[in-house]
Amino acid sequence: MAEGKIIVIGNEKGGTGKSTLAMHLIVWFLRQKKKVASIDLDGRQGTLTHYIQNRAAYSETHHIELGLPEHLTVTVRNNPTEQECSEDGAAFCKQLETLQKENDLIVIDTAGADSHLFRLAHAVADILISPINDSLIDLDVLAKVEPETLTVKAPGHYAQTVWQARQKRAKARKPQMRWFVLRNRVMHVSTHNEKLIWKLLEALGARINFTPLRGLGERIIFRELFLKGLTLLDIGQFKTGVTMSMAHVTARQELRSILQAIGEESVSGD
Ligand SMILES: Nc1ncnc2c1ncn2[C@@H]1O[C@H](COP(=O)(O)OP(=O)(O)O)[C@@H](O)[C@H]1O
Ligand SMILES: [Mg+2]
């Protein structure tokens, strides 16, 4: 069997929808009968871990087979020494190697902050997905924007982290990662700001090599789904207690087009 592909969900910013997207990706692949492993590198917050635990509990209480990944939680140390960094890094790579042998895909959710393991995860990513909230403030980690002309001045600090990860891959002669930047919590009305963000993302994507994706709208349903350990993909498939509304149908279409864009990359050949 070929080695499992590594999909990393990352951004140097909290609350952009990383863990929510990670869970939806996991369920999407499980439903395609793939063997999926997941790693929560944000063990301190543990959102993905809790999401998966909620799913296991819902599955048990309602006697339904929802499908679960092989899951690992990692808590990154505070202020590690150089030696601790290299020990933790080696342990992480070993675990990853084992998971890659046994799974088709490994989805790694990261914390919204820089750390040694955060950088390592980016360097092993075959596919990187960065959700961003739909605002110019969120764009700041990707690029410095010239305020008068609203053009891209220079890459932001997260874009530099990704660039360094790409360099490491090139040195190790690994194939280049594919990077997707996904807009999340997009407002329903098309505003001047919205159009501007899209234009900037397209310009920046061409410059620092990522594919911008039109993302998910702002919807309250995501919070309710988290508590039950469910995703948009489960509604209508199982007894979820959630009635399908027009908003869910639209959300699911948005999600499908995102997952297809990413998924085709991840399940197709090397
Ligand atoms: N498209 C969306 N619409 C509304 N709420 C969302 C959306 N995506 C995520 N959320 C909510 O935003 C919060 C942060 O999401 P989360 O996935 O935990 O972000 P991160 O992992 O980047 O910190 C959660 O309460 C989640 O339910
Ligand atoms: Mg998270």
Side-chain angles (χ1 to χ4, degrees), residues 25-219:
L25 266 176
I26 291 165
V27 173
W28 165 263
F29 289 127
L30 284 172
R31 288 197 49 199
Q32 291 178 357
K33 306 275 176 247
K34 301 283 174 204
K35 286 196 77 183
V36 187
S38 47
I39 303 178
D40 187 353
L41 261 191
D42 191 6
R44 201 159 286 126
Q45 190 159 311
T47 310
L48 181 64
T49 304
H50 299 153
Y51 208 149
I52 291 169
Q53 286 167 348
N54 293 349
R55 189 170 179 84
Y58 193 90
S59 196
E60 205 176 308
T61 320
H62 293 82
H63 310 290
I64 42 179
E65 279 279 330
L66 282 171
L68 290 161
E70 178 180 354
H71 185 69
L72 214 82
T73 310
V74 178
T75 304
V76 179
R77 281 184 226 249
N78 272 334
N79 306 317
T81 60
E82 224 168 272
Q83 175 155 359
E84 285 168 339
C85 277
S86 87
E87 282 168 11
D88 293 351
F92 177 72
C93 288
K94 207 165 163 213
Q95 282 174 319
L96 204 54
E97 215 174 279
T98 311
L99 289 177
Q100 274 191 293
K101 283 195 188 116
E102 294 162 0
N103 293 279
D104 301 309
L105 293 132
I106 297 103
V107 176
I108 307 180
D109 185 25
T110 63
D114 193 13
S115 72
H116 174 61
L117 290 185
F118 180 84
R119 283 174 184 256
L120 192 54
H122 281 71
V124 296
D126 295 305
I127 295 177
L128 171 65
I129 310 167
S130 304
I132 60 162
N133 280 333
D134 214 31
S135 82
L136 286 169
I137 296 179
D138 264 38
L139 213 63
D140 194 59
V141 295
L142 291 176
K144 300 292 155 213
V145 174
E146 165 63 51
E148 300 297 326
T149 55
L150 290 172
T151 47
V152 173
K153 242 184 357 185
H157 65 277
Y158 181 62
Q160 288 174 31
T161 303
V162 177
W163 186 72
Q164 283 162 5
R166 280 181 159 150
Q167 281 202 317
K168 264 194 208 158
R169 286 185 74 86
K171 256 196 195 154
R173 296 182 188 278
K174 285 190 182 169
Q176 270 313 323
M177 69 158 81
R178 277 297 307 266
W179 186 16
F180 296 93
V181 173
L182 168 85
R183 297 169 62 197
N184 191 22
R185 313 184 75 157
V186 180
M187 289 304 177
H188 304 302
V189 279
S190 177
T191 57
H192 171 68
N193 192 45
E194 194 255 349
K195 286 186 195 125
L196 177 66
I197 289 175
W198 186 249
K199 228 177 98 188
L200 285 170
L201 272 185
E202 281 190 320
L204 187 63
R207 183 153 154 190
I208 58 174
N209 196 9
F210 66 71
T211 306
L213 292 178
R214 285 190 188 276
L216 294 167
E218 168 71 31
R219 284 191 191 83

Side-chain angles (χ1 to χ4, degrees), residues 7-21:
I7 305 185
V8 171
I9 321 290
N11 188 354
E12 253 169 278
K13 196 147 192 347
T16 61
K18 293 184 292 297
S19 303
T20 307
L21 178 70

